[in-house]
Amino acid sequence: LPVLLAALVAVATCTETFVGHQVLRVVPQSDEELQKVQELQDLEHLQLDFWLAPRGLGLPVDIRVPFPSLQAVKVHLEASGVSYSIMIEDVQALLDEEQMEMLRSSRQLPLDTDTFNYEAYHTIDEIYSFIDMLVAENPNLVSKLEIGRSTEDRPLYVLKFSTGGTNRPAIWIDTGIHSREWVTQASGVWFAKKIVQDHANNEGVASILETMDIFLEIVTNPDGFAFTQTKNRMWRKTRSRHSSSICVGVDPNRNWDAGFGEAGASSNPCTETYHGPYPNSEPEVKSIVDFVKSHGNIKAFVSIHSYSQLLLYPYGYTDTPAPDQEELHEVSAKAVAALSSLYGTKFKYGSIVTTIYRASGSTVDWTYNQGIKYSFTFELRDTGRYGFLLPAKQIVPTAEETWLALKVIMEHARDNLY
Amino acid sequence: ELPLSHFSAARAAAVAVGYLRYLRGGPGRGLELRELRRARRQDIDGVGHKYYLELELEDVLDKDRTVNCTAEVLYRLGSKTSAPDVQVTVQGELRSTEEAEQEFYNRIRSLEKELVAENIPDSHGNVPPELEPIHLLAWVASGYLIWQNSTENTKFHLAQVKHVKQVKRSDEDLQFDYVLLLHEMVSQEVLPWEVTVLWHPQRGARVSQS
């Protein structure tokens, strides 16, 4: 059947249409019935197309009947008491479906997370469809949470990876909070698949999942991400409009309630580090704040950016060292060594304020002040050669090496619960 | 002595690399910082802040080879309008690019229509191989801009070649008018800069800001 359909598809894409055509099946039980069916073969004006020609008693005869001839054929069979069944109600409908399927596979639209192309950048729709596929394939491990909606009313999805328990201590990872940092969302997709694979193979993070949950928000700033795909590849912020400014967007990594509005952010709505009118003004930020507070048991929080190849810990808004500075520095050293072990990629590490610049209202300063000791920010590849425009072939190597660093952090959190 | 992870060392290094790209880069040679090996800072009263750097550089077209370099970057006090003073010494030889650059020169000269291109790399990071020399020439131009416009509070990178247009000349130079997007790390702004590059295989690059 598929072969015949495929042949028809080839024809259908040219000129013919098969709207309303049906495929009837007759199984002649007697010589009379067989003769009646053979008679149909001689009626050329009916334009019948025998997919299975009459061969003998008890053997099926399949006939594609054009719409104008349907009545005539059915009357001919019924009048002689020859029973038939309708195998295909509308040939064109089936052809359309097949054609769509063929287009999908030729455009390499994945049918499952194993055929998904991790070595390419994807649209929001493709990532959201990936998320749904991952959940459908692993319903006992993965669930999708909607923690809020963006300014432009896009859903904010978080994947929860859990093997059970109630409100287990958890790890949070987010990617794509700055929309132009495309390698991060792409890495997030890879991380999601990796977690599922590790669990299935009982290796890697499988042991972490025995006692902890992992939350992963892949497209943390969907409005910005959509904008980078359609209008401006270099867009960083959200797409909100506040006050009467003609300028759009707030820097979601300056909008948190930690040193909000102090040095290290801008009060000018037309700048890339605009902190917004007040803390958590951005739904993309507020939804995470609400989630973290109501969960109450997150032990490690990692927010992922690009580029610069850095692993950073609090603080950004002050020179005062974080109370856990020493431990965070040690964990960073281990994480960076693990990362480097794979492809030799070199990362520097330290507090935000000494390593990159003063930044107020940043994510991990807030999470740290909430008591989430293991709060880290990554800046992934590269160091400026391609910057935000990292070639797609570097996505998987970047995700792979970063994952090794993430595991160090996750394992440390698991082994040092507080 | 500065910790190598401190931002001030990274910013000074970026200035040195920009300067070096301007001086020694070309359509056949793109220099990239492999590693910052050492950084010291000296505060000179009444003058400014001077950074002493030891850098390891690589040629992006010949990644297995690296070359060491020392640099001094002086940011003058209170001067928002003058470029940092930079001195660099390259230890050892850079790979010869004469053949590749002559070939590029001949190819462009023989074009019937003036070359026009945009978005290098594209959104997905792709650079068509025939445009790589144009990309590297943009590095030379951005190196000049970065050197001229850096302060201790900025760190620039070339984000993208937004647009490039060849302008045919009656003399022997190639001329390219670029619109370059520079990303400034501290403010996070990505802004367009117009710049004109004259280039000749023997005479090298001359950059002028539009």
Side-chain angles (χ1 to χ4, degrees):
Chain A
L1 199 59
V3 178
L4 291 162
L5 273 178
L8 276 183
V9 168
V11 175
T13 45
C14 297
T15 46
E16 272 184 274
T17 166
F18 299 91
V19 176
H21 294 213
Q22 290 189 343
V23 176
L24 308 179
R25 168 165 287 188
V26 180
V27 188
Q29 301 297 335
S30 69
D31 284 333
E32 286 82 17
E33 291 196 354
L34 189 54
Q35 196 189 3
K36 278 290 161 197
V37 175
Q38 280 164 334
E39 273 168 24
L40 284 172
Q41 284 185 296
D42 297 326
L43 302 171
E44 276 187 33
H45 66 281
L46 289 178
Q47 304 244 295
L48 302 180
D49 175 14
F50 281 77
W51 285 9
L52 278 176
R55 291 165 290 153
L57 293 182
L59 295 175
V61 179
D62 290 345
I63 317 165
R64 177 177 64 79
V65 184
F67 183 71
S69 307
L70 265 178
Q71 175 116 50
V73 168
K74 287 178 179 176
V75 160
H76 179 96
L77 293 171
E78 282 162 19
S80 320
V82 179
S83 58
Y84 62 90
S85 57
I86 301 173
M87 283 220 317
I88 299 176
E89 291 248 13
D90 185 337
V91 174
Q92 187 62 43
L94 202 53
L95 288 180
D96 290 344
E97 222 191 277
E98 256 258 338
Q99 179 151 60
M100 259 189 12
E101 202 49 62
M102 280 168 57
L103 271 179
R104 272 179 54 144
S105 33
S106 76
R107 274 203 298 164
Q108 287 171 328
L109 278 176
L111 306 168
D112 55 53
T113 64
D114 285 322
T115 51
F116 187 88
N117 185 2
Y118 297 92
E119 297 179 2
Y121 290 112
H122 290 277
T123 64
I124 296 192
D125 289 342
E126 287 166 354
I127 295 178
Y128 281 7
S129 137
F130 163 85
I131 285 173
D132 287 338
M133 288 193 292
L134 194 73
V135 170
E137 292 164 16
N138 304 277
N140 294 328
L141 179 66
V142 194
S143 52
K144 178 177 89 171
L145 313 171
E146 186 175 314
I147 62 167
R149 295 190 82 90
S150 68
T151 292
E152 291 175 348
D153 202 37
R154 289 185 175 84
L156 300 167
Y157 289 136
V158 170
L159 284 171
K160 175 181 179 183
F161 300 86
S162 177
T163 59
T166 316
N167 198 236
R168 280 182 177 169
I171 294 148
W172 167 284
I173 302 169
D174 64 75
T175 54
I177 193 170
H178 284 146
S179 37
R180 61 189 179 196
E181 298 164 7
W182 278 18
V183 73
T184 70
Q185 297 95 333
S187 294
V189 169
W190 188 93
F191 296 153
K193 179 63 172 171
K194 181 65 172 161
I195 295 171
V196 157
Q197 283 173 332
D198 274 9
H199 177 258
N201 299 326
N202 199 22
E203 58 184 15
V205 295
S207 60
I208 291 173
L209 286 167
E210 278 168 21
T211 53
M212 298 180 82
D213 293 342
I214 300 175
F215 292 98
L216 174 62
E217 186 173 7
I218 299 175
V219 189
T220 306
N221 177 6
D223 296 349
F225 193 46
F227 201 73
T228 61
Q229 313 238 322
T230 54
K231 291 271 169 35
N232 181 353
R233 176 63 178 83
M234 296 294 174
W235 190 261
R236 162 188 171 90
K237 302 188 285 182
T238 62
R239 292 293 300 166
S240 60
R241 240 177 260 267
H242 297 282
S243 77
S244 53
S245 175
I246 52 161
C247 292
V248 177
V250 166
D251 186 343
N253 200 24
R254 300 288 186 280
N255 188 240
W256 302 72
D257 199 1
F260 178 86
E262 294 170 18
S266 168
S267 55
N268 178 347
C270 301
T271 57
E272 296 285 14
T273 55
Y274 174 50
H275 48 58
Y278 51 86
N280 308 326
S281 62
E282 303 312 285
E284 295 81 357
V285 170
K286 176 126 195 342
S287 55
I288 302 176
V289 168
D290 291 344
F291 179 84
V292 167
K293 281 180 161 169
S294 71
H295 185 280
N297 207 18
I298 295 178
K299 297 300 174 191
F301 192 105
V302 183
S303 191
I304 301 189
H305 293 254
S306 78
Y307 60 94
S308 284
Q309 291 176 204
L310 303 170
L311 176 48
L312 307 166
Y313 50 79
Y315 285 113
Y317 73 92
T318 171
D319 284 318
T320 308
D324 302 289
Q325 152 112 349
E326 225 180 281
E327 186 185 353
L328 295 177
H329 200 77
E330 267 173 44
V331 174
S332 300
K334 261 185 81 180
V336 152
L339 187 153
S340 181
S341 70
L342 196 54
Y343 297 110
T345 307
K346 295 191 179 70
F347 267 55
K348 296 205 170 73
Y349 57 97
S351 67
I352 297 167
V353 73
T354 60
T355 310
I356 190 170
Y357 41 56
R358 188 179 290 258
S360 61
S362 73
T363 311
V364 297
D365 283 358
W366 179 81
T367 59
Y368 182 76
N369 283 348
Q370 289 295 299
I372 302 176
K373 182 164 37 154
Y374 303 116
S375 289
F376 292 93
T377 288
F378 278 81
E379 294 277 357
L380 303 186
R381 292 194 193 183
D382 59 12
T383 54
R385 174 164 179 198
Y386 290 96
F388 300 122
L389 308 178
L390 196 70
K393 66 178 189 279
Q394 289 196 44
I395 293 172
V396 171
T398 301
E400 287 174 332
E401 67 192 10
T402 307
W403 188 243
L404 298 181
L406 285 171
K407 277 202 291 190
V408 167
I409 294 170
M410 293 194 279
E411 281 159 14
H412 187 91
R414 176 201 59 197
D415 298 339
N416 294 274
L417 281 181
Y418 51 92
Chain B
E1 202 71 38
L2 284 172
L4 295 174
S5 60
H6 197 273
F7 62 72
S8 56
R11 291 176 197 175
V15 175
V17 171
Y19 181 75
L20 211 52
R21 283 183 179 163
Y22 168 59
L23 275 198
R24 306 296 296 269
R29 179 189 291 137
L31 294 169
E32 177 73 68
L33 179 65
R34 171 77 74 91
E35 205 174 330
L36 177 63
R37 293 209 170 279
R38 196 174 166 206
R40 279 183 306 129
R41 182 178 120 167
Q42 183 190 24
D43 293 346
I44 308 173
D45 281 338
V47 180
H49 298 154
K50 192 167 188 187
Y51 291 78
Y52 297 85
L53 308 167
E54 284 173 31
L55 312 160
E56 189 186 354
L57 304 167
E58 71 186 24
D59 180 344
V60 298
L61 299 180
D62 185 20
K63 292 259 200 126
D64 293 329
R65 250 220 281 207
T66 63
V67 86
N68 290 326
C69 148
T70 57
E72 288 172 20
V73 178
L74 170 63
Y75 298 100
R76 290 192 177 274
L77 262 183
S79 180
K80 293 280 169 74
T81 52
S82 81
D85 296 348
V86 186
Q87 282 187 55
V88 285
T89 312
V90 178
Q91 285 140 15
E93 284 296 304
L94 290 168
R95 185 183 58 95
S96 166
T97 54
E98 252 182 70
E99 214 181 294
E101 295 196 334
Q102 190 64 45
E103 190 255 296
F104 166 72
Y105 180 78
N106 296 338
R107 175 162 63 91
I108 302 294
R109 289 275 282 191
S110 64
L111 288 176
E112 268 179 40
K113 271 176 59 179
E114 290 171 321
L115 182 147
V116 175
E118 48 184 33
N119 295 336
I120 309 168
D122 67 15
S123 284
H124 295 227
N126 300 316
V127 178
E130 67 273 14
L131 288 180
E132 187 62 38
I134 300 286
H135 187 209
L136 294 178
L137 205 50
W139 276 22
V140 175
S142 68
Y144 174 81
L145 290 174
I146 291 169
W147 164 45
Q148 289 290 305
N149 293 281
S150 288
T151 70
E152 269 178 297
N153 300 317
T154 63
K155 186 164 186 277
F156 287 98
H157 291 278
L158 174 63
Q160 191 183 40
V161 177
K162 195 69 197 150
H163 195 267
V164 59
K165 190 184 63 163
Q166 180 197 358
V167 177
K168 284 208 177 173
R169 297 174 63 89
S170 51
D171 63 21
E172 307 227 310
D173 283 330
L174 298 181
Q175 177 179 337
F176 296 97
D177 291 350
Y178 283 96
V179 175
L180 302 180
L181 292 181
L182 291 190
H183 171 225
E184 198 291 292
M185 197 63 81
V186 178
S187 65
Q188 289 294 334
E189 300 293 332
V190 173
L191 295 173
W193 295 70
E194 288 181 6
V195 68
T196 292
V197 182
L198 298 178
W199 184 79
H200 183 274
Q202 277 77 54
R203 273 181 291 222
R206 281 132 290 145
V207 181
S208 55
Q209 229 175 296
S210 309

